């Protein structure tokens, strides 16, 4: 895996670029989050998505009801059993999203330079002259000259399916706008985004809370994607809410940065959240186009240094209807990887796109190629320097394990962990080889019954770049005698061999706890 490591900073033989890519057991180190919907909810298609490299399934509650999503989730469980590939579940909240409601679902044709009224009166029928919205505070939030965008799902940027308006005047609760481009809006719901304006809506709505406390609890969701996160307090409130919902105290919160407000409070949000999703669709509207790349690079750098997963969205929009991405999109995916992204999130591309499996496969191949030229050496030095001295005990062990693995050209790093923290720290240093995180379940009791923890920790590493979890037999504690550790290690090595990442005579770096000490050891495999 690491032997073919090239560097963009060094001369690359042009002929070598044309050599076909070798498919590995893990399609790429970078993870892929797929949104499941109408075009990707059968057992057959979901199985295809899992085999192609999807490791997190996202359920977007801004459309359709919990029963619909439950059917999809049951199909996902069947596909996981069928393919024997682990998959985590992410619930995406609606949040402070403004929507235009089109009950009749008839296509609405809007002409440039004509006027249209946005009204909070939900009883009205949507038409070319009048669009009912789900928020009654818009007239108080906007002023003459402000920009408003309306489009289906998220804005594709295709000017025929999304429209931008300029506020002309405010009349009572209604907002009168001039249409700036001709477009046809098709479907029942369109997202409305007011550029750079504070919208006084709660980040966790009552509807979100209801969905989380019913569907979320029932299905023990691994991740909560908190839409329209604008302040660290949003994350704290969500965490407090989850802490009262049984097993969901273990659910990780990913803050979704979608507007200027979230961007201004990025540092404190990052401190509170477990991970970050850069929602480039909405951000691309709030930011001038020439600033989008800058935000991406700065945000990913901050996430990398904090050791928290960063997810980039809206990469291959055109694959919603086409089998191949555009040149710009293919380059964009690779740049996200080189910038340090942990995962790529596919929205409309898998939700309603015509080629969900092919899209995941294509994105995986691009990620894999980009990883081959990722400058790990420079990244490692940068991270060590950022962390500074004295390092914490765990950080020192993690960085040493990665350094050792690179020096001895190990084919894999195996890490024994119960909370998943040690494995995530190793992955933070972006080793060029996969990290097999052997999650040792812990026995816990609530005085009434015994239960094992570990499944959450294993699934939550499915969004971290380079981290591949396996659940160990609970009879082997993480800090155990050498004899039981040997047997767990054997299981992990067998798994690696079956996966094709370990061969005889390979070197493997193992990171584990023995008693109170943490140990990094290098083993060489015999035949």
């Amino acid at each position: 895996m690491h032997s073919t490591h090239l560097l963009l900073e060094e001369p690359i033989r042009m002929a070598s670029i044309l050599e076909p890519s070798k498919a590995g057991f893990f399609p790429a180190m970078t993870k892929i989050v797929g949104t499941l919907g109408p075009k990707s909810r059968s057992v057959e298609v979901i199985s295809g998505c899992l085999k192609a490299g999807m490791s997190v399934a996202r359920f977007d509650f801004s459309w359709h009801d919990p029963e619909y999503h439950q059917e999809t989730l049951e199909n996902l469980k069947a596909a996981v059993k069928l393919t024997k590939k682990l998959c985590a579940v992410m619930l995406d909240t609606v949040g402070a999203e403004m929507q235009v409601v089109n009950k009749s679902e008839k296509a609405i044709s809007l002409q440039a330079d004509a006027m249209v009224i946005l009204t909070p009166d939900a009883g009205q029928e949507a038409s070319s002259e009048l669009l009912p919205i789900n928020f009654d505070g818009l007239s108080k939030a906007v002023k003459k000259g402000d920009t408003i965008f309306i489009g289906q799902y998220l804005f594709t940027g295709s000017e025929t399916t999304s429209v931008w308006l300029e506020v002309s005047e405010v009349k009572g609760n209604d907002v009168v706008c001039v249409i700036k481009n001709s477009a046809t809006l098709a479907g029942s719901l369109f997202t409305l985004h007011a550029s750079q304006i504070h919208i006084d809506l709660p980040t966790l709505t009552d509807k979100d809370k209801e969905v989380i406390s019913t569907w979320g609890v029932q299905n023990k969701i691994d991740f909560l994607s908190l839409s329209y996160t604008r302040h660290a307090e949003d994350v704290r409130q969500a965490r407090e809410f989850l802490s009262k919902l049984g097993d969901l105290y273990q659910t990780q919160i990913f803050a979704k940065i979608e507007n200027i407000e979230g961007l201004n409070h990025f540092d404190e949000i990052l401190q509170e959240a477990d991970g970050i999703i850069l929602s480039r669709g909405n951000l691309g509207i709030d930011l001038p186009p020439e600033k989008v790349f800058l935000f991406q690079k700065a945000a990913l750098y901050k996430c990398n240094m904090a050791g928290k997963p960063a997810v980039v969205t809206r990469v291959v929009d055109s694959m919603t209807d086409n089998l191949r991405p555009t040149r710009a999109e293919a380059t964009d995916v690779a740049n996200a990887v080189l910038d340090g992204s942990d995962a790529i999130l596919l929205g409309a591309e898998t939700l309603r796109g015509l080629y969900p499996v092919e899209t995941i496969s294509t994105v995986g191949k691009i990620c894999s190629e980009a990883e081959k030229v990722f400058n790990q050496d420079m990244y490692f030095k940068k991270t060590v320097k950022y962390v500074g001295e004295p390092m914490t005990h765990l950080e020192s062990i993690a960085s040493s394990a990665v350094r050792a693995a690179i020096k001895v050209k190990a084919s894999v790093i195996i890490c024994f962990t119960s909370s998943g923290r040690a494995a995530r720290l190793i992955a933070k240093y972006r080793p060029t080889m996969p990290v097999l995180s052997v999650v040792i379940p812990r026995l816990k009791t609530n005085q009434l019954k015994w239960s094992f923890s570990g499944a959450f920790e294993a699934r939550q590493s499915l969004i971290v770049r380079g981290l591949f979890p396996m659940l160990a037999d609970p009879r082997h504690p993480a800090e155990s005698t050498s004899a039981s550790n040997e047997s767990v290690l054997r299981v992990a090595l067998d798994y690696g061999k079956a996966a094709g990442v370990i061969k005889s005579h390979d070197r493997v770096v193992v990171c584990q706890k023995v008693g109170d000490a943490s140990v990094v050891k290098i083993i060489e495999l015999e035949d």
Side-chain angles (χ1 to χ4, degrees):
M1 194 165 221
H2 40 270
S3 56
T4 56
H5 217 75
L6 307 159
L7 280 186
L8 288 174
E9 290 78 5
E10 294 168 1
I12 292 176
R13 272 191 322 117
M14 282 305 175
S16 72
I17 291 174
L18 300 176
E19 285 167 16
S21 316
K22 292 182 188 75
F25 176 79
F26 304 119
M29 305 276 254
T30 308
K31 304 302 174 69
I32 296 173
V33 181
T35 307
L36 301 186
K39 290 282 192 285
S40 52
R41 62 192 300 255
S42 67
V43 176
E44 190 187 355
V45 175
I46 298 174
S47 299
C49 290
L50 291 171
K51 285 180 191 156
M54 175 179 85
S55 62
V56 180
R58 171 175 169 257
F59 292 81
D60 184 359
F61 276 81
S62 55
W63 66 284
H64 249 304
D65 52 32
E67 291 72 34
Y68 180 89
H69 289 302
Q70 190 61 44
E71 277 173 31
T72 310
L73 184 60
E74 294 308 323
N75 288 347
L76 170 67
K77 288 175 186 168
V80 165
K81 275 197 180 123
L82 209 66
T83 57
K84 296 189 170 52
K85 291 203 180 279
L86 270 179
C87 187
V89 170
M90 176 182 278
L91 186 158
D92 201 316
T93 62
V94 179
E97 182 169 90
M98 294 184 290
Q99 293 169 334
V100 174
V101 187
N102 179 19
K103 287 181 188 153
S104 70
E105 296 198 22
K106 287 186 190 130
I108 300 165
S109 174
L110 300 169
Q111 295 304 318
D113 302 324
M115 306 297 269
V116 67
I117 296 172
L118 304 177
T119 177
D121 183 356
Q124 299 272 11
E125 193 76 25
S127 69
S128 325
E129 291 82 42
L130 187 82
L131 298 173
I133 60 174
N134 67 343
F135 175 54
D136 53 17
L138 186 66
S139 57
K140 297 183 190 74
V142 298
K143 60 186 186 307
K144 185 176 166 61
D146 282 343
T147 308
I148 293 173
F149 289 81
I150 297 175
Q152 194 183 21
Y153 300 94
L154 285 165
F155 315 99
T156 58
S158 156
E159 291 312 340
T160 53
T161 57
S162 53
V163 66
W164 60 287
L165 315 171
E166 191 179 293
V167 176
S168 162
E169 61 173 317
V170 175
K171 279 187 181 171
N173 283 338
D174 294 351
V175 179
V176 183
C177 303
V178 181
I179 301 167
K180 303 301 270 184
N181 65 290
S182 298
T184 302
L185 301 178
S188 58
L189 271 188
F190 319 114
T191 308
L192 183 143
H193 189 96
S195 191
Q196 301 202 19
I197 290 156
H198 170 74
I199 297 300
D200 197 13
L201 277 169
T203 304
L204 256 193
T205 63
D206 290 341
K207 184 187 163 194
D208 290 330
K209 287 180 177 174
E210 189 190 335
V211 164
I212 295 166
S213 52
T214 52
W215 195 90
V217 170
Q218 179 191 338
N219 297 303
K220 298 186 178 175
I221 53 167
D222 303 296
F223 302 109
L224 179 73
S225 159
L226 195 59
S227 296
Y228 293 94
T229 303
R230 293 163 286 182
H231 302 269
E233 188 53 37
D234 295 342
V235 183
R236 283 193 283 271
Q237 284 173 1
R239 202 175 297 286
E240 192 186 340
F241 179 67
L242 290 178
S243 69
K244 298 173 183 145
L245 297 174
D247 280 335
L248 294 202
Y249 74 91
Q250 301 176 80
T251 298
Q252 288 191 348
I253 298 174
F254 273 57
K256 212 168 170 192
I257 307 295
E258 314 208 36
N259 53 23
I260 292 280
E261 227 178 320
L263 185 113
N264 286 334
H265 302 109
F266 187 85
D267 291 355
E268 50 265 44
I269 291 171
L270 177 60
Q271 260 185 314
E272 286 294 328
D274 298 299
I276 296 283
I277 297 173
L278 306 182
S279 179
R280 301 191 313 171
N282 289 344
L283 263 174
I285 288 161
D286 254 15
L287 288 170
E290 66 273 20
K291 298 286 188 188
V292 175
F293 85 96
L294 204 54
F295 165 70
Q296 175 172 314
K297 287 181 188 298
L300 289 177
Y301 172 75
K302 284 173 186 276
C303 292
N304 291 167
M305 294 303 118
K308 293 189 175 181
V311 183
V312 168
T313 66
R314 310 309 303 277
V315 286
V316 286
D317 286 340
S318 72
M319 285 194 79
T320 307
D321 307 305
N322 302 294
L323 250 175
R324 277 175 74 108
T326 65
R327 295 176 300 281
E329 287 170 339
T331 309
D332 189 27
V333 175
N335 277 329
V337 173
L338 296 174
D339 287 348
S341 180
D342 281 82
I344 302 288
L345 188 150
L346 301 173
E349 300 99 324
T350 54
L351 173 97
R352 60 189 169 91
L354 304 177
Y355 309 102
V357 178
E358 292 84 350
T359 303
I360 292 169
S361 170
T362 301
V363 169
K365 283 178 189 161
I366 300 170
C367 290
S368 175
E369 286 297 318
E371 287 154 10
K372 288 176 191 167
V373 295
F374 180 74
N375 193 334
Q376 199 280 337
D377 187 48
M378 194 169 84
Y379 177 88
F380 186 89
K381 285 174 182 158
K382 201 165 62 176
T383 313
V384 169
K385 187 179 171 189
Y386 179 88
V387 170
E389 290 174 357
M391 273 186 174
T392 62
H393 180 84
L394 253 184
E395 192 99 38
S396 151
I397 291 286
S399 56
S400 304
V402 174
R403 182 178 280 146
I406 285 164
K407 294 282 184 222
V408 303
K409 292 195 165 30
S411 55
V412 67
I413 299 174
I414 294 176
C415 174
F416 292 86
T417 178
S418 51
S419 69
R421 211 168 125 238
R424 277 199 301 275
L425 268 179
I426 291 174
K428 169 184 169 178
Y429 286 91
R430 295 278 188 262
T432 47
M433 62 292 293
V435 181
L436 286 187
S437 133
V438 182
V439 181
I440 314 276
R442 281 184 300 197
L443 193 59
K444 58 185 202 302
T445 175
N446 60 359
Q447 270 80 54
L448 294 172
K449 63 179 195 309
W450 293 94
S451 65
F452 284 110
S453 74
F456 267 98
E457 289 81 354
R459 288 193 304 265
Q460 282 166 345
S461 54
L462 289 167
I463 205 164
V464 182
R465 178 149 145 193
L467 206 49
F468 300 93
M470 57 172 279
L471 222 73
D473 187 318
R475 285 167 300 198
H476 300 302
E479 309 85 358
S480 58
T481 61
S482 56
S484 66
N485 267 338
E486 286 309 311
S487 61
V488 185
L489 181 58
R490 200 160 291 126
V491 172
L493 290 171
D494 289 344
Y495 175 74
K497 281 176 194 160
V501 288
I502 307 174
K503 302 181 296 300
S504 44
H505 304 296
D506 272 3
R507 288 171 180 166
V508 172
V509 168
V510 181
C511 188
Q512 67 189 108
K513 259 186 141 175
V514 177
D516 289 337
S518 297
V519 177
V520 173
K521 60 182 184 184
I522 301 161
I523 52 178
E524 197 156 336
L525 302 179
E526 282 124 32
D527 290 331

